[in-house]
Amino acid sequence: MDVVDLARLQFAVTATLHFLFVAFTLGMVTVVAVLQTRALRTSDPTERAARMRRVRFWGGLYVINYALGIVSGLTQEFQFGMNWSGLSHVLGNVVGAPMAVETVVAFFLESTFLGLWAFGFGRVSARTHLLLIWGVALTAYASTFWIMVVNGFLQKPVGYAMHDGVARVTDWSALLTNGATWYALLHLTGVVALLAGVVMCAVSSYHLRHGRDLDFFRPALVHGSRLAGAGAVVTAGAGMVHLETLEEYQPEKYAVVMGESGAGLERAQEAARAAYGPGDWLPPAWVGVASVLMLLLGLVLLVLVWLPAKAGRAEGASTGRFRLRLPMVLLPMTIVALVCGWLSREVGRQPWMVTGELTVRDAIGDVSAGGMLASLIAFTLVLGGLSVVNFSLIAHYARQGPDGGLLGDDDLFPDAGPRDDSRPGGDPAPDETARVTSY
Amino acid sequence: MDVFWYSLVGVLLAGYLALESIDFGVGMLLPFSGDEASRARMRRLVVPLFLANEVWLVACVGLLFGALPVLEGALLQALRLPVLALVCAWLLRDAALWFRQAHPGSGWRRVWDSVLPVSSFVLAAGWGAVLGAMVRGLSTRAGGHPVVDPIDLVHPLPLVCAASAVAACLCQGALFAARGLPADGTAARRAARLNRVASPVVLGLLVLVGGVAAAVVDAPARVAAVAGGAALCVAGSILLARAGRATPALVLGSAPLWALPLLVGVAHGTTVLATRSGAGDLTLGEAVADGESLWLLSVTVLPVLVAVVAVQWWFWRVFARVRPAVAAA
Ligand code: HDD
Ligand code: HEM
Ligand code: HEM
């Protein structure tokens, strides 16, 4: 492995881990925001308490996950400079600004909102607390948009001109309306809903199989299943449209991804040679396998994710044994499809960093192989270890059920106050001063 | 205009260091805070806050990429190994704060209780050393590229910068703990005593920083002035702490931290990446993004920065309130 392979492997490992957390974050924050909105829409205190219990449970899983979303995002941000300084030299003017907007506009605000929300139960007024979770959701999607503007540019560069080997933006609106960005965003919106829905199904069906908290988890199973179904429809629909457009702006990728062989591939290779000169311009053939796997899993999921809903409505749990086990299979399938999707998009872009403009090899910084290996090992160990801790914690809290949820844990959320779900967010309790002094 | 963006990056870095000085300090003090209950209480002091503090660095690096892309590539590559260590320490520090209480096992807590002080120390000392090395100027690699050699980090200047950063963080952590813990407890008294003992040390270290820096850089008057100004702030902080006014004392007490990026700025002016030999220097004009990119940043980032500062202000008011027992004292 040379230094380029090591840098790519490092990016692949950290980006894939980052995206696993991010996808769940994006899906779940939407669910939590909707749940909290529903809780506030009722004025009946018992009903409101019951609904806030849902916010605390799913919100608790979301918050654990969020921690690793941040931590893995930090490694992403730093490795651009550490490993890919060729990118900032040639394309800094183009990709730097959207990335800056992302970090400042989105994360800076998002993390501040999230902190206020997570620690603000019982501290800020109910209405403000609801606005905060919507603030988190909007800024999370905004950050996704800006990062996908960059990624879309790598796939299909638009709206720029080269001067002395340095790219300059000539037309921001072309960058912001890039099809390679928008089709992917739509596809991702479906993917995150699908993932959040499947996770809801998996957690709910676990408790239903054990006959616990039926009133809490039956509706959750139905909602999760429907959310996943809607997500799958959007995913597949956007994916099909996306596939059509790929042929036009990344014909070499399209040829490999569609599993063409022999003459078809040769034709794509010839066309690329005519455009870029002699060389091998096709991505590695195994990308085709990843793509087909994603497609197949997508079609299977499109059918199967609707099934668990029925077990949530059935009164006799025994009739739903199969349906209650199904989510345990759907969850790994979704995750595999998700990773395969990124592999086909990103490896399918090879050998280009920016299609037709900059190769991966030219984008690498002046780093020794030893230095690259060191960062690969360090990041993989730290992030891998923390991810294991994180997944075990999520599993632990998911199994604990509604009242073991993290957001009910006064210890982790010192300022959350004693649980009193009739006051979601809640105006500070009359006895607040007394409570605060008792620390 | 170019100077504006460069300064804004510096302000974000200074804000990060100033705010996190409290978190680093509390993290380092955790092992000395007595029994399990006091350790849990110490952690609670910073848990709601660190997230909002660390995003200043996220924003700083993001803006660096947007406004000075060439500097971002060159700088992170020159500082590759120390940055790797800092990022790993950062990840572990966050995990320790998030996860410590998430599981009841005592072995589990012991692990995070040792991760937190070590990673906090690495962060405080590491930032001091890296910025100190930048004040002095980096080495030059064979191809003419700037790089920080391990030996650059053990020169007296980075060493005193690291020492003053660590000492200042300890003072800040102690002051914050004394302000937030119940006033009648031993923990709060011990923290207040630590702050009293350590603050004069910080003052002495700052004088050393000023002296050593003035001896090795080309702009001795300016670096001495910055170090002197920071020392005055610390002296003010000591007086305010004595008078029981913890919050303004904290604000002034962060001076040794925010002085570090300022020192880099005044030592090298518009040479944004400076080497001792001069080969491989990068000037602001070469590093800054072109007008179109800066335009996008002006219309998006600037308004949001104002909003963020407002939201963060609110954040501090909600979560960093003085415990009533202390406020009354
Ligand atoms: C499709 C969505 C998506 C994609 C492709 C990426 N991110 Fe991400 N990222 C998010 C969506 C997201 C998020 C959902 O918005 C996160 C997760 C948790 C959070 O705080 O925000 C996040 C967190 C996050 C953070 C931590 C922010 C904080 O402290 O709050 C950073 C620095 C990055 N990301 C940077 C990156 C970089 C450099 C990427 C390029 C490969 C990247 N992300 C890809
Ligand atoms: C979070 C979602 C993402 C995932 C899961 C992902 C996945 C991957 C994978 C698997 C690779 C390895 C490809 C290979 O080695 O052949 C890769 C490479 C890379 N991707 Fe992405 N990617 C994501 C988003 C992005 C974004 C948003 C950008 C740009 C802003 C980006 C830039 C890169 C770079 C610089 C490389 C290394 C060079 C290369 O191999 O092309 N990625 N990514
Ligand atoms: C029938 C279903 C599907 C079709 C037709 C489809 C199609 C596509 C296409 C054309 C791409 C773009 C590749 C590129 O730009 O190079 C893509 C990417 C991707 N797919 Fe799918 N896909 C399907 C199902 C799924 C499923 C079920 C998941 C995950 C749960 C998934 C996750 C992804 C991801 C994460 C990406 C990379 C980001 C992006 O381009 O949006 N896909 N898919």
Side-chain angles (χ1 to χ4, degrees):
Chain A
M1 277 200 149
D2 66 1
V3 68
V4 179
D5 297 324
L6 290 170
R8 285 170 57 190
L9 186 60
Q10 178 180 322
F11 203 99
V13 169
T14 53
T16 305
L17 272 177
H18 180 53
F19 193 73
L20 282 182
F21 295 107
V22 162
F24 184 58
T25 294
L26 285 167
M28 214 55 194
V29 71
T30 323
V31 171
V32 173
V34 171
L35 286 175
Q36 191 161 348
T37 310
R38 282 171 44 89
L40 249 73
R41 291 251 299 267
T42 167
S43 50
D44 171 12
T46 5
E47 180 58 23
R48 189 180 260 205
R51 292 183 184 178
M52 272 319 275
R53 196 159 163 247
R54 295 181 185 280
V55 172
R56 296 228 189 208
F57 177 67
W58 298 110
L61 300 187
Y62 158 70
V63 165
I64 308 177
N65 186 68
Y66 192 89
L68 254 267
I70 291 180
V71 162
S72 55
L74 301 175
T75 55
Q76 291 298 90
E77 187 180 25
F78 279 83
Q79 72 180 315
F80 278 106
M82 290 166 73
N83 299 350
W84 301 98
S85 54
L87 179 72
S88 53
H89 261 276
V90 182
L91 290 160
N93 289 315
V94 183
V95 298
M99 212 91 123
V101 177
E102 181 212 19
T103 46
V104 177
V105 175
F107 297 142
F108 207 4
L109 263 180
E110 179 186 351
S111 290
T112 313
F113 284 151
L114 180 93
L116 275 165
W117 181 79
F119 303 111
F121 280 83
R123 271 280 165 123
V124 296
S125 82
R127 204 173 282 274
T128 314
H129 199 238
L130 178 65
L131 282 180
L132 284 170
I133 191 70
W134 279 109
V136 178
L138 286 182
T139 45
Y141 282 97
S143 84
T144 307
F145 168 72
W146 286 103
I147 203 78
M148 291 309 294
V149 166
V150 178
N151 187 272
F153 184 85
L154 303 187
Q155 312 291 340
K156 181 187 174 192
V158 290
Y160 71 108
M162 297 298 283
H163 289 289
D164 308 325
V166 173
R168 281 166 208 271
V169 175
T170 53
D171 183 4
W172 278 115
S173 62
L175 261 108
L176 300 186
T177 54
N178 191 350
T181 296
W182 280 99
Y183 292 126
L185 265 180
L186 196 57
H187 193 55
L188 286 177
T189 312
V191 169
V192 299
L194 172 59
L195 181 65
V198 169
V199 170
M200 285 176 80
C201 288
V203 174
S204 306
S205 63
Y206 170 85
H207 288 279
L208 293 181
R209 277 207 314 278
H210 291 81
R212 290 199 300 250
D213 289 300
L214 299 185
D215 294 340
F216 187 91
F217 285 113
R218 272 212 187 104
L221 182 65
V222 177
H223 289 155
S225 180
R226 289 191 185 143
L227 176 64
V233 171
V234 174
T235 304
M240 298 291 181
V241 181
H242 197 157
L243 209 50
E244 293 290 306
T245 62
L246 215 51
E247 187 173 9
E248 160 231 329
Y249 66 83
Q250 285 177 319
E252 304 87 26
K253 180 197 270 184
Y254 183 78
V256 172
V257 160
M258 293 310 283
E260 290 194 21
S261 56
L265 274 189
E266 215 25 68
R267 225 175 307 123
Q269 182 77 282
E270 281 311 316
R273 287 205 178 112
Y276 311 129
D280 179 9
W281 302 108
L282 293 185
W286 62 265
V287 180
V289 181
S291 294
V292 170
L293 194 55
M294 165 183 67
L295 258 141
L296 283 180
L297 287 172
L299 295 177
V300 173
L301 286 167
L302 191 59
V303 177
L304 294 186
V305 287
W306 301 96
L307 298 183
K310 216 161 171 210
R313 282 182 313 235
E315 277 303 315
S318 61
T319 55
R321 280 283 143 192
F322 163 72
R323 290 189 157 90
L324 288 180
R325 290 198 181 278
L326 190 59
M328 298 304 168
V329 186
L330 298 180
L331 183 55
M333 280 167 71
T334 310
I335 292 174
V336 170
L338 189 144
V339 174
C340 283
W342 277 108
L343 287 176
S344 68
R345 185 170 171 94
E346 295 292 87
V347 183
R349 168 167 54 80
Q350 302 301 317
W352 296 110
M353 173 69 119
V354 179
T355 309
E357 234 7 290
L358 178 70
T359 60
V360 168
R361 213 152 266 283
D362 294 332
I364 195 98
D366 177 18
V367 180
S368 71
M372 197 61 84
L373 188 63
S375 61
L376 170 62
I377 292 176
F379 281 150
T380 307
L381 284 182
V382 173
L383 277 185
L386 293 182
S387 304
V388 172
V389 170
N390 190 74
F391 282 127
S392 346
L393 278 178
I394 293 182
H396 170 78
Y397 280 100
R399 281 203 203 99
Q400 296 252 310
D403 297 315
L406 200 61
L407 287 180
D409 175 357
D410 299 342
D411 234 14
L412 193 85
F413 289 96
D415 292 315
R419 295 188 61 147
D420 174 0
D421 288 332
S422 61
R423 298 181 301 109
D427 306 306
D431 63 337
E432 169 159 276
T433 1
R435 202 185 80 228
V436 171
T437 23
S438 72
Y439 277 87
Chain B
M1 223 27 208
D2 299 355
V3 175
F4 168 77
W5 291 107
Y6 180 49
S7 321
L8 192 56
V9 169
V11 167
L12 289 172
L13 180 60
Y16 162 78
L17 291 170
L19 291 167
E20 286 255 86
S21 65
I22 292 173
D23 308 335
F24 297 161
V26 169
M28 284 188 279
L29 287 174
L30 189 84
F32 309 105
S33 56
D35 56 356
E36 164 62 29
S38 335
R39 281 198 298 274
R41 222 180 289 128
M42 279 292 267
R43 174 185 160 281
R44 279 177 193 175
L45 288 177
V46 291
V47 154
L49 300 171
F50 79 100
L51 191 63
N53 296 345
E54 70 184 19
V55 288
W56 284 69
L57 183 59
V58 176
C60 167
V61 177
L63 193 65
L64 183 62
F65 197 10
L68 304 146
V70 177
L71 176 61
E72 196 249 14
L75 184 66
L76 287 182
Q77 203 173 307
L79 301 175
R80 207 170 172 282
L81 284 182
V83 167
L84 178 62
L86 285 174
V87 172
C88 287
W90 184 4
L91 308 187
L92 290 169
R93 194 284 303 256
D94 279 15
L97 284 175
W98 279 105
F99 293 151
R100 180 185 194 272
Q101 228 80 352
H103 199 277
S106 66
W108 169 272
R109 287 186 183 175
R110 261 202 305 283
V111 171
W112 296 118
D113 280 353
S114 38
V115 171
L116 181 62
V118 173
S119 54
S120 302
F121 174 80
V122 171
L123 282 164
W127 278 109
V130 164
L131 290 167
M134 286 180 67
V135 174
R136 179 172 169 241
L138 302 183
S139 303
T140 312
R141 214 186 328 200
H145 296 296
V147 69
V148 60
D149 261 331
I151 194 98
D152 289 352
L153 295 174
V154 292
H155 178 272
L157 181 57
L159 286 182
V160 286
C161 286
S164 86
V166 170
C169 288
L170 282 170
C171 280
Q172 291 282 90
L175 191 56
F176 194 69
R179 168 186 178 277
L181 295 174
D184 43 359
T186 47
R189 269 204 300 280
R190 217 185 304 161
R193 182 150 21 93
L194 175 69
N195 177 269
R196 271 200 302 281
V197 175
S199 318
V201 178
V202 177
L203 211 50
L205 284 168
L206 272 177
V207 174
L208 263 180
V209 168
V212 180
V216 300
V217 304
D218 296 337
R222 279 183 285 172
V223 292
V226 170
L232 277 183
C233 290
V234 172
S237 167
I238 294 176
L239 293 180
L240 285 165
R242 292 248 165 91
R245 305 199 41 211
T247 308
L250 280 169
V251 174
L252 288 184
S254 65
L257 278 303
W258 55 250
L260 290 168
L262 191 57
L263 280 173
V264 177
V266 298
H268 304 294
T270 52
T271 305
V272 290
L273 190 56
T275 59
R276 296 192 298 281
S277 67
D281 272 0
L282 186 68
T283 62
L284 186 52
E286 298 165 317
V288 80
D290 90 320
E292 278 287 322
S293 304
L294 294 178
W295 172 82
L296 181 70
L297 292 180
S298 320
V299 296
T300 50
V301 168
L302 290 185
V304 171
L305 275 182
V306 176
V308 170
V309 170
V311 178
Q312 289 224 332
W313 178 261
W314 178 33
F315 197 97
W316 275 81
R317 289 190 53 102
V318 174
F319 293 116
R321 282 196 292 203
V322 184
R323 299 290 173 232
V326 180

